[in-house]
Amino acid sequence: MMWIAVAILQIVIIVAGIQHEQRAGLWSWSKFVFALAFGGLEVSILLTPIMLMDVRSPRFMPVFCAAGFVAALNFIWMIIVARRWKLPDGRTSLQAWRDEHPKK
């Protein structure tokens, strides 16, 4: 039953974050959907060896480690790409973050 409370709390946090980003002019639904699809791809990369191979096989661990390595490289690539995304006002997401969090 605790998972229900965690799920509700997660939804509340997500909705609050979306509203905050929309007010700041930094929100994009297409990028949100892309990020969700990317998360699905990462999960599928990691779950494929588990679903298709015998876990007790001597080849399982090397294949699973290779899948984890590919997922990690893919995640690093995604961070690089996401930092170059353009917002509606022409700034990149990194520039917008810097504008919101100036150095003191």
Side-chain angles (χ1 to χ4, degrees):
M1 292 300 278
M2 188 65 169
W3 69 270
I4 295 172
V6 171
I8 291 171
L9 181 64
Q10 186 68 38
I11 290 169
V12 168
I13 291 171
I14 289 170
V15 169
I18 289 171
Q19 290 174 346
H20 174 73
E21 295 291 311
Q22 284 176 331
R23 282 192 298 271
L26 303 174
W27 186 253
S28 170
W29 282 105
S30 61
K31 292 175 187 170
F32 177 69
V33 171
F34 180 77
L36 287 178
F38 176 78
L41 174 67
E42 291 287 293
V43 169
S44 67
I45 288 172
L46 292 173
L47 287 181
T48 299
I50 296 171
M51 301 292 281
L52 297 179
M53 292 184 70
D54 180 20
V55 179
R56 294 185 203 109
S57 169
R59 294 188 183 117
F60 175 76
M61 231 17 205
V63 170
F64 188 67
C65 289
F69 183 72
V70 168
L73 289 177
N74 198 23
F75 187 74
I76 292 168
W77 171 81
M78 174 62 177
I79 290 172
I80 293 168
V81 168
R83 291 179 78 162
R84 284 192 243 134
W85 281 345
K86 298 285 185 188
L87 298 169
D89 61 4
R91 297 179 298 167
T92 64
S93 54
L94 184 59
Q95 289 169 332
W97 186 88
R98 286 180 181 158
D99 291 345
E100 282 190 16
H101 302 89
K103 291 184 179 180
K104 294 179 181 179

